[in-house]
Amino acid sequence: MKTHLIHSWPEFKIQSDWTLFLDRDGVINQRTPGDYVKKWEEFIFLPGVPESIAILNNLFSRIFIVTNQAGIEKGLMTHENLEEIHQKMMECLHYFGGNIDEIYYCPFKPDLDPFCRKPNPGMAMEAKKDFPEIEFKKSLMVGDSDSDIIFGNRLGMKTILVGDHNQNTFGDLHAVPDARMLSLPEVAKYFYDLNK
């Protein structure tokens, strides 16, 4: 599979009308292997993420989270559990000066291929409905799995694959990220330095 490292990109500056889409588990917080983050006590920010989101807020017009959360349909957690996690997550981000404009999630398992579940575009379409000014060609998707990258590819977004590439769930030959980086803080630093 051919991928492009960040330093091989034609450099481009993020303009004030660009949008950032973020996966959650593995990008913002630690994954729970074989399980789901079902309550706030299980939610652990990855190092440097709250500070990074504050930096990214100054570079992007809007930031959204798009996350598959099939643990709801599986009965392992409720919508209320997830909302509490996200409320407390947002409180922490606000403490560090960061903000997420909206969080979109899909509560369904993949067996019936629901439209809202990445790599399908449902959550992006919902964001576009809520924020009509979004242009997908002026959007960046950051995720740690092939479903994140295919989601971005299908919509014409730029895409960055983050995480430990020996451990993350990435292997679909149809998923071609524009770049690979170790973490969201590295993404924030790259664009901050480029757009100074």
Side-chain angles (χ1 to χ4, degrees):
M1 178 184 63
K2 182 179 180 182
T3 59
H4 304 282
L5 297 177
I6 197 82
H7 57 70
S8 71
W9 277 20
E11 289 190 351
F12 67 94
K13 291 183 180 291
I14 297 300
Q15 303 298 321
S16 60
D17 56 349
W18 274 67
T19 301
L20 177 61
F21 288 86
L22 300 174
D23 179 38
R24 199 196 76 180
D25 301 321
V27 176
I28 292 174
N29 61 283
Q30 291 183 11
R31 281 189 172 276
T32 305
D35 200 357
Y36 298 88
V37 176
K38 302 181 292 295
K39 55 186 178 179
W40 173 246
E41 291 75 17
E42 298 171 349
F43 186 97
I44 301 172
F45 278 108
L46 288 167
V49 163
E51 299 90 339
S52 298
I53 289 178
I55 292 169
L56 291 164
N57 280 137
N58 291 320
L59 299 172
F60 289 85
S61 174
R62 297 196 182 275
I63 300 179
F64 303 111
I65 291 175
V66 285
T67 177
N68 292 338
Q69 294 293 329
I72 293 176
E73 187 182 8
K74 292 178 180 180
L76 301 174
M77 58 194 294
T78 65
H79 292 276
E80 290 74 22
N81 294 145
L82 187 63
E83 288 168 7
E84 180 182 10
I85 291 167
H86 287 161
Q87 179 182 355
K88 291 184 180 297
M89 177 192 74
M90 290 291 287
E91 290 172 0
C92 290
L93 293 177
H94 290 159
Y95 177 81
F96 284 91
N99 182 61
I100 301 295
D101 289 279
E102 191 58 80
I103 301 170
Y104 299 94
Y105 67 90
C106 184
F108 304 119
K109 297 183 291 184
D111 49 354
L112 297 178
D113 194 27
F115 185 64
C116 68
R117 184 179 174 86
K118 292 177 296 181
N120 293 329
M123 288 186 279
M125 295 295 105
E126 190 68 21
K128 175 73 171 174
K129 178 181 175 183
D130 293 340
F131 301 88
E133 68 274 15
I134 294 172
E135 294 184 53
F136 296 131
K137 67 181 180 180
K138 294 183 178 181
S139 297
L140 173 66
M141 176 68 204
V142 178
D144 73 326
S145 69
D146 49 17
S147 66
D148 298 319
I149 302 306
I150 295 172
F151 170 86
N153 291 162
R154 287 176 174 175
L155 290 158
M157 300 179 187
K158 295 289 187 182
T159 58
I160 298 179
L161 177 69
V162 297
D164 183 337
H165 309 310
N166 294 318
Q167 297 180 11
N168 64 11
T169 55
F170 187 79
D172 191 312
L173 295 178
H174 296 98
V176 182
D178 291 293
R180 292 186 171 199
M181 304 190 80
L182 288 176
S183 64
L184 191 61
E186 187 175 347
V187 173
K189 183 179 186 307
Y190 173 81
F191 285 110
Y192 175 79
D193 291 344
L194 190 62
N195 287 269
K196 282 195 289 192

